[in-house]
Each structure stands twice: as C-alpha cells, then as structure tokens.
Amino acid sequence: MRRALAVALAALVAATALTACASDPMPTNVAVAWAPEGRAAVLVTWKDANAPNRITIEGVLSESPSYVKYVAAGEPNSWEIPTSAFPPDGNYKVAVATGTSQGGVTSKLARSVVFDTDGPVQPSAAGATPLGRGVLIKWSVPVAPQDFTPNDPLDVTGKHTQKYVPMIGRPGQLLRDIGPGTTSTRQVIKSIKPPYVFQLRTQNEWSTRMGGQVLGLTSSINAAVPALAQFSVPILVRGRVVLQQVGCEAETPCVQQRATPAGVPVVVLTQVTPGSRWTPAAIGKTTAGGHYDIAVPTGGSRPYKITVPAYTKAGIITGPSTSKPAYTRSVVRIASAGFIGGETAKKRGTSVTVFATVKPAMNSTAMLQSWNRQTRKWVNVKATAMRRGQTALAFTAGQAGDFVYRFVIPGAMMFGRSMSGTITPQLALHIR
C-alpha cells in the first residue's frame, strides 16, 4: 500500500513539474544557415523575449547527438554549432527552448526545419596511366544518392560540391597529402616509383571519406627454362611472380606487403637471331600463388627470358620485371622412321627400303648404321643424302636373320645458331 501511494505521489509531482517547465513562452522562428566564415559551423537563430535558452540537436530517424548549449539572457539570439557536432549521413533538427542549466527547460521546444548531413560521394573507381617518369591518376564518382530533404537551408548546390585531397603512402612513412584539395577528377604525380599507395580524402561540408585507391606495385619474376628442346615441340616455361604493395592504417607508418595474385600477365621473349631484338614468343597469366606455366613454341636454338610487362587495371599499376636470359638448344626431331610399306619381315632376295624424316626439313647427309652382334657395336653401312628432311636407302635382303638399323642424323645450323643432331629409334628387320 505504501509503495503504491509513493508511486502515485511521484506521478503527481512529475505532472506538476512538467506544467511548471512549460510555463514560459516558446521561442519562435528557429532557423539554420551556414555561418559566415565558410562552412565550419551551422548558424542557429531564433526569436524570444530576451530569455535564456537551451540549444540541442534532435535526430529525425537518426540518433540524437549529445550536444547541449545554454545561451544566457541578454546574449544575441544566435549560436554557431560546429559541423563536427552533427553525425554524418543523418537527418536532424535544431531545437531551441527557454531554460538554464540550473533551472532546466521552462518552455516548449521550437524546432528548425529538417536538414541532412550527407557526407561526400566516395569515388567508385580509380585508375592510373604511366606518364613519362610519373603517373596520371583518374577517378570517377557515382551519382549522389537521393536527397530526402531536398532544398533544405544547408544544401550546397552546384557541380563542385566536394573536394578531393590526393594522398600518397610509402613504406615506413605516414599517408600524407601531396597537394591541395581539388574539384578535378584527375591528378598528375611526377617522378614517382612503386611501391606506393595513392588515396583520395574526399570531403564536403559535413565529413570526410577515404577512397579512390590506386596501388603502385613492384614485381619480380623467376623462371625455369628447359636446356634442350626438340625442334617444333613446345617447351614448358615455369616460374613465379611476386608483387610488393603498400598498406596503410590510420596514424601508423605504411608497410610493404608481399602479394602473389592470379591474373598477372606474363610474356615470354626470345631472340630469333644473335643480336636481334627480343620479340614475344608466348603469353600467359599467373595462377593462384603467383605461379605460371606457359607452353612456348620452339624453333632453332635460342635464348628466352620472361617478363612481367608494365600494366594497369582498375586500382593497380604494376612496374615491369624480367628474368635472366636462359638458352635452349634445339635438337633435330625425328618425325618418322622405318621401312617403306611398313613391313618389318621380308623374304631373302627381296628389296628393302629404310627411311627417316626429320624436322626441320634440312639438306644434309645422314649415316645408316647396323648393329654388329659379334663386336656389340654400331657400324656404318652407308652415308645417305638428306633432302628437305628426308633420307632413304634401298638394298636387297641377301641373308636370313634378324638385323637392327638406325640413322644417325647430323646437327644443323638455323638462324645463325647450331642445332644438335639425333639418332632414330632402332629399326628391327627379320629376313627369312
């Protein structure tokens, strides 16, 4: 019973106090505008009968910030609220009432119209283009989102309502401004080398956003190139690409980071003749972990080197790198070898023709050899002319037994470099 009575008395006292608080006249004509000195503060004005006032900020579908300002009686009916007191990206009103910090609010609240504190529109994409010893960076900005308080007194209109401050971060250094704020959507940076990170501090009258990032990367590449290759048979060139990039956190020095992404372009270069320019022989891209495995068509003996070309894509510009040259010696390739007609068993006294075809289609002299079972050595049978990569020898099978033949193919010269010769597989023939 005592508790119920106490609650009832408390409610009665609160109702009486509320009536007392609202006894003074309410201020009128509460208005907001930008303060004269730029847009660093919001100027609030109102009218009343020279009473003390309390100023607060109310959120409209947004949380109200904890801002309170008391203006004494006799002071001007105006006050500048720093823009930093307004949370970004919200809708707010400024409320003015009669009251003091000791006596509390003694009138109803008078409110300004609703206004927004929308921050700047962050750049959606940025890209870089090499420009001599520097780089040209461009960025794009999407259309601003819908304004739910159109034409409020704090709206800033015009084409250039926000500025972009270019910033650069290098390993071991803080992210820093490299120029004043600009309304342009492009920036030329002279004499800059990767690794670095470029960012934009985009700002308007209410807040600041970071965006429009471009990473300037360095690259390094290693390669494994086969020492020998059969003429016109592709070789596999393998290796790995490692990139170095820069990462920056607020108020701390930027750090250099290792990256091995997929999709980095890789070009295999070759020098067809001694002293000639290096030309592309094959292209490829890295896979996960920065690895690459590229099939390279072969010709004559020649050196190869693998390069990561300077390339750009959205938000990235990568510096070039090249592996050390590695020499691949070509070997004459046996295209086919055997006996005309495909028969490996013949009657004594019949004609037999043994042949070989090689690549490249060269002109030379081959040597037909047979296996001597007694001496267990290969012995020369006859030198045969090779024309356009083909050689053959016809003979009469004069003795019964099992015989084994092979052609020894000499080396060759192509594009000023030597190729290694080769030997055909063993060619077995049975004479009955």
Side-chain angles (χ1 to χ4, degrees), residues 17-26 51-52 97-100 103-108:
L18 181 62
T19 302
C21 287
S23 60
D24 289 332
M26 179 178 67
T98 301
T100 64
V105 175
T106 59
S107 75
K108 293 182 179 179

Side-chain angles (χ1 to χ4, degrees), residues 339 342-348 350 352 428-432:
F339 300 95
E343 297 181 59
T344 58
K346 287 282 191 176
K347 291 182 180 181
R348 188 173 60 178
T350 58
V352 178
L429 178 66
H430 174 71
I431 306 297
R432 60 185 187 276

Side-chain angles (χ1 to χ4, degrees), residues 98-131:
T98 301
T100 64
S101 58
Q102 292 80 22
V105 175
T106 59
S107 75
K108 293 182 179 179
L109 298 177
R111 297 174 174 85
S112 70
V113 297
V114 180
F115 57 91
D116 66 75
T117 61
D118 293 343
V121 181
Q122 186 174 353
S124 57
T129 303
L131 192 68

Side-chain angles (χ1 to χ4, degrees), residues 151-187:
N151 302 314
D152 74 54
L154 300 180
D155 275 351
V156 177
T157 60
K159 293 183 178 180
H160 304 297
T161 60
Q162 60 186 37
K163 289 187 177 181
Y164 310 96
V165 180
M167 309 181 75
I168 283 289
R170 293 181 176 276
Q173 301 177 5
L174 293 174
L175 189 67
R176 62 180 181 85
D177 298 359
I178 58 169
T182 176
T183 57
S184 174
T185 56
R186 54 189 289 154
Q187 178 76 31

Side-chain angles (χ1 to χ4, degrees), residues 13-324:
V13 171
T16 303
L18 181 62
T19 302
C21 287
S23 60
D24 289 332
M26 179 178 67
T28 60
N29 295 348
V30 177
V32 292
W34 287 111
E37 299 298 327
R39 300 190 183 95
V42 173
L43 175 65
V44 184
T45 58
W46 64 92
K47 292 182 179 180
D48 67 4
N50 197 29
N53 300 111
R54 187 190 76 159
I55 302 170
T56 57
I57 302 172
E58 293 184 352
V60 180
L61 300 180
S62 303
E63 185 176 352
S64 299
S66 57
Y67 180 86
V68 179
K69 174 63 182 178
Y70 290 94
V71 177
E75 292 187 7
N77 288 345
S78 64
W79 182 251
E80 293 184 7
I81 305 176
T83 54
S84 58
F86 296 89
D89 304 314
N91 296 324
Y92 300 94
K93 296 179 180 180
V94 174
V96 181
T98 301
T100 64
S101 58
Q102 292 80 22
V105 175
T106 59
S107 75
K108 293 182 179 179
L109 298 177
R111 297 174 174 85
S112 70
V113 297
V114 180
F115 57 91
D116 66 75
T117 61
D118 293 343
V121 181
Q122 186 174 353
S124 57
T129 303
L131 192 68
R133 293 166 55 187
V135 65
L136 168 64
I137 298 179
K138 297 181 181 180
W139 57 93
S140 58
V141 183
V143 177
Q146 181 180 354
D147 185 353
F148 291 99
T149 62
N151 302 314
D152 74 54
L154 300 180
D155 275 351
V156 177
T157 60
K159 293 183 178 180
H160 304 297
T161 60
Q162 60 186 37
K163 289 187 177 181
Y164 310 96
V165 180
M167 309 181 75
I168 283 289
R170 293 181 176 276
Q173 301 177 5
L174 293 174
L175 189 67
R176 62 180 181 85
D177 298 359
I178 58 169
T182 176
T183 57
S184 174
T185 56
R186 54 189 289 154
Q187 178 76 31
V188 175
I189 307 176
K190 299 179 179 179
S191 301
I192 187 170
K193 293 182 179 180
Y196 62 83
V197 61
F198 171 89
Q199 287 188 356
L200 292 167
R201 188 174 73 240
T202 306
Q203 57 192 33
N204 70 355
E205 63 275 11
W206 291 113
S207 59
T208 296
R209 286 194 175 100
M210 298 298 292
Q213 177 173 282
V214 173
L215 291 175
L217 309 177
T218 60
S219 65
S220 61
I221 187 171
N222 60 42
V225 180
L228 294 175
Q230 289 193 64
F231 180 86
S232 73
V233 175
I235 58 173
L236 288 178
V237 175
R238 296 182 173 92
R240 194 180 194 191
V241 175
V242 176
L243 305 179
Q244 299 292 335
Q245 65 185 43
V246 174
C248 299
E249 298 290 342
E251 306 302 325
T252 58
C254 302
V255 296
Q256 186 166 309
Q257 301 167 331
R258 183 173 181 267
T260 53
V264 177
V266 177
V267 180
V268 181
L269 301 174
T270 190
Q271 200 175 39
V272 177
T273 59
S276 64
R277 60 189 292 266
W278 290 88
T279 56
I283 59 174
K285 293 183 178 181
T286 59
T287 57
H291 299 281
Y292 65 89
D293 190 336
I294 304 174
V296 182
T298 61
S301 301
R302 60 192 59 176
Y304 296 94
K305 62 182 180 181
I306 297 82
T307 181
V308 175
Y311 76 98
T312 61
K313 65 178 184 178
I316 290 177
I317 179 169
T318 301
S321 60
T322 304
S323 69
K324 294 181 179 179

Side-chain angles (χ1 to χ4, degrees), residues 387-410:
R387 295 293 179 265
R388 293 188 175 182
Q390 297 179 346
T391 188
L393 178 66
F395 59 92
T396 301
Q399 183 180 349
D402 292 311
F403 303 89
V404 179
Y405 298 93
R406 72 179 188 181
F407 279 104
V408 177
I409 310 298

